[in-house]
Amino acid sequence: METAGTELPILGQSDETPCDSCHGGCCRTFVIPLTGADIWKLERDLKKSFWEFACRWEDPHGSIAQKYAPHFHFQDEPKTPFVIGLIQSESTFIPRTTKCQFLREGAPDEEHPLGVARCGIYNSRPSACRVFPTRFDNTGDVVEIVQVPNQLNEDENQAYNLCPRPWEPADFDPVTTMEHLTIAAYEMRFFHKIAQLWNRKPGPWNIFPDFLKIVYSERVMHGEKTLDEELFPTIIKFPAAAESETPSKRAA
Ligand code: SF4
Ligand code: SF4
């Protein structure tokens, strides 16, 4: 089940982020690539099957993967590189345009001619949505804001306009933003490894979700070690109370 729509991609510190009055241009413009972890969480949180929210997007020129998402190959079209991403659907209010199927559109009005839209799965949205429009700087210790032009292509339908104003550092929570970037980078790296494994001998598309389930369900395993003083030599023991000491004295 979808969770209630709240904010669009970013958690902000400022009173109003560019997303607050936006029609969700990024959720209409870009194909959202998924990691296996995103897929696991969407299935778990939305109680939907892979086939209800994910699809494979042909990406012969790498314009969807953008050197970020991995390409997968499948038995029926072994030469075609695909990106695994969210399914899109028709917009309700802006004819002949498409959008992420989870975008909840508001009706256009005088103040907002394209309407105001919200993410319908905010708490479960994929990593790629969480990090937009940020990335790590060269050190990996600082978050860089990637400035987003209002229009990528002026001939496009206005539905595909992007952020209504430039992003500022105060629009971001410095801790949450770094956490999202770190998780996104880790999970995408791991998904690249899964792609390498799968592409050694591409299987049929219809077994791909089961393959992912097997990989991710084996992510946590029993170790050989038992908790002891060798493993954690610096456990600080809680001091034993002196015989005469009463609980009320210790609490003082
Ligand atoms: S999942 Fe939410 S944030 Fe991501 S593209 Fe869809 S509507 Fe936008
Ligand atoms: S286009 Fe920019 S302002 Fe609009 S929802 Fe996406 S990130 Fe937010």
Side-chain angles (χ1 to χ4, degrees), residues 8-10 18-19 22-27 132-133 148 161-164 167:
L8 265 158
I10 303 296
C19 299
C22 185
H23 63 293
C26 56
C27 311
F132 185 80
V148 183
N161 285 2
L162 293 168
C163 312
W167 285 89

Side-chain angles (χ1 to χ4, degrees), residues 47-229:
K47 310 271 185 288
K48 284 181 185 277
S49 84
F50 175 90
W51 306 109
E52 292 175 276
F53 60 81
C55 63
R56 57 180 189 173
W57 291 84
E58 275 188 29
D59 189 29
H61 308 296
S63 51
I64 297 177
Q66 293 282 339
K67 298 187 180 160
Y68 174 67
H71 278 148
F72 286 85
H73 294 263
F74 298 94
Q75 222 170 47
D76 56 325
E77 287 190 54
K79 293 220 166 86
T80 310
F82 289 96
V83 170
I84 311 301
L86 284 182
I87 292 174
Q88 294 192 341
S89 60
E90 292 283 318
S91 164
T92 306
F93 297 109
I94 312 177
R96 294 178 302 283
T97 65
T98 53
K99 62 171 190 72
C100 168
Q101 65 161 327
F102 295 120
L103 188 69
R104 289 195 178 155
E105 299 178 285
D109 58 26
E110 229 168 83
E111 195 185 348
H112 304 103
L114 297 170
V116 174
R118 295 286 179 260
C119 176
I121 54 161
Y122 188 73
N123 291 328
S124 307
R125 69 203 188 288
S127 282
C129 305
R130 290 171 193 264
V131 301
F132 185 80
T134 60
R135 63 176 193 174
F136 284 120
D137 79 341
N138 292 338
T139 66
D141 294 329
V142 173
V143 175
E144 264 183 12
I145 301 170
V146 178
Q147 282 308 339
V148 183
N150 181 241
Q151 281 185 314
L152 282 181
N153 178 348
E154 56 184 41
D155 298 332
E156 287 270 36
N157 189 305
Q158 287 194 338
Y160 303 112
N161 285 2
L162 293 168
C163 312
R165 71 153 169 87
W167 285 89
E168 300 296 338
D171 292 321
F172 298 91
D173 179 279
V175 174
T176 311
T177 307
M178 184 58 92
E179 286 172 356
H180 286 167
L181 273 173
T182 305
I183 292 168
Y186 172 80
E187 293 294 359
M188 203 45 102
R189 253 196 325 270
F190 187 71
F191 206 41
H192 273 268
K193 288 185 191 167
I194 293 175
Q196 274 175 8
L197 184 68
W198 173 270
N199 291 336
R200 273 189 219 154
K201 195 175 170 212
W205 169 230
N206 67 356
I207 68 158
F208 186 68
D210 292 334
F211 163 75
L212 289 183
K213 263 196 198 105
I214 292 168
V215 172
Y216 282 83
S217 58
E218 289 185 357
R219 228 181 185 188
V220 181
M221 308 176 92
H222 284 292
E224 286 167 7
K225 276 282 189 186
T226 302
L227 180 65
D228 59 15
E229 297 243 340

